[in-house]
Amino acid sequence: MSSRSRPAQSRYCTRGAAAARARLAVSALALGLLLPAAASAHGPVDPAASSYLARIATAPPGTVAKVIDGDQRMSLRANPAETLVVLDYRGAPYLRFSPAGVQVNRSSSMYYLNQVPAQIPPPRLQPATPPRWSTVSRAHQYSWHDGRLHALASTARAPGTTYLGHWRVPVRVNGSLAAIGGGLFYAEPPSIVWFWPIVVVVACVLAVVRLRRSQLDLAVARGLAAVALAGFVVAGAGRQLHGRPTVSAGQLIVLGLVLAFAVWALRRLVQRRHGWFTFFLVAVAAIWQGATLVTVLLDGFVLVDLPPFLARAVVVACLAAGAGLLVLVFRMAERPGPAAAVPTAGRPEPEDELDFDDEHAWEV
């Protein structure tokens, strides 16, 4: 190589490394912005796990009641031929299920408390205040936040206690007083041992990086990417197939996107057409999936459509493989290969790292 070509190659490598770092920074920022909010004014929103679980024991005949989000929301499907009224904390009518659909009473204190953000009810509201009904659904199923489900969670709990007590939501069915009732349960957090595989995998990857062997880095990256994709798909399926109370069209769309990304990434792995940026996308996807479900490692009740052990195992796989892969990605992005440094004659310069063939771009 001539003395004039070496500076050009050096400048090309420097620009490529700088672009790599910039893309990593921008993508990491995008990941942070995409992480969902963990809570709202009424507790966790669509949580993956919970320390408390409200279970239904009794409900009026002809109704189907279900607790959503552990102990946060109640979902009720009433008999279309009957009129069922849910009473609020003061005994005033809050919701009315009738043949016409579902109406909410705007003169109920619970109506104001369930606004987002919650509002202070006017002091003039009393149980005898005439209701102001407003239609919220033409169907016969509706869900709402109900503080009576988790009120017992704030009481003192004796060590080892799992059953905290009975809760009750009063209703009137065709004018007759009835109730939806059940119990509130508590589960201890899972063992901290679940976090050890993440630490072990990252430590092993750091040891591999210190060996400075490109082919070993590449082999380890492929293995971690395969594990990350498997965890990403299983965790995504468990998340999106969990009904609240039923599986929505939006959840099915998200699941389709999860599967499409997994197929794309797996195809690049099998065909060995991956580069450091492909690995980076897989790592980001796995870490994002694991981060959204990390509460299964912190709370006792798992609320996704997977057995508790499997749910925790796939979250650990996502976080461990994603974090380990990210360590390798930073190493790979800073190591330009001969094919990536200077385009060869007769081969056009690729516009993106995804166009590189790693079998040649990373040879040393």
Side-chain angles (χ1 to χ4, degrees), residues 9-57:
Q9 178 179 351
S10 177
R11 288 194 300 272
Y12 186 90
C13 296
T14 301
R15 289 196 300 270
R21 288 192 295 268
R23 256 192 289 194
L24 286 173
V26 171
S27 301
L29 177 61
L31 172 63
L33 294 176
L34 288 174
L35 288 177
S40 72
H42 297 308
V45 177
D46 191 12
S50 174
S51 294
Y52 299 92
L53 183 65
R55 291 173 175 157
I56 294 175

Side-chain angles (χ1 to χ4, degrees), residues 100-118:
V102 183
Q103 295 85 35
V104 62
N105 178 17
R106 293 178 176 268
S107 293
S108 164
S109 60
M110 201 167 174
Y111 169 79
Y112 290 90
L113 294 173
N114 279 352
Q115 297 299 304
V116 180

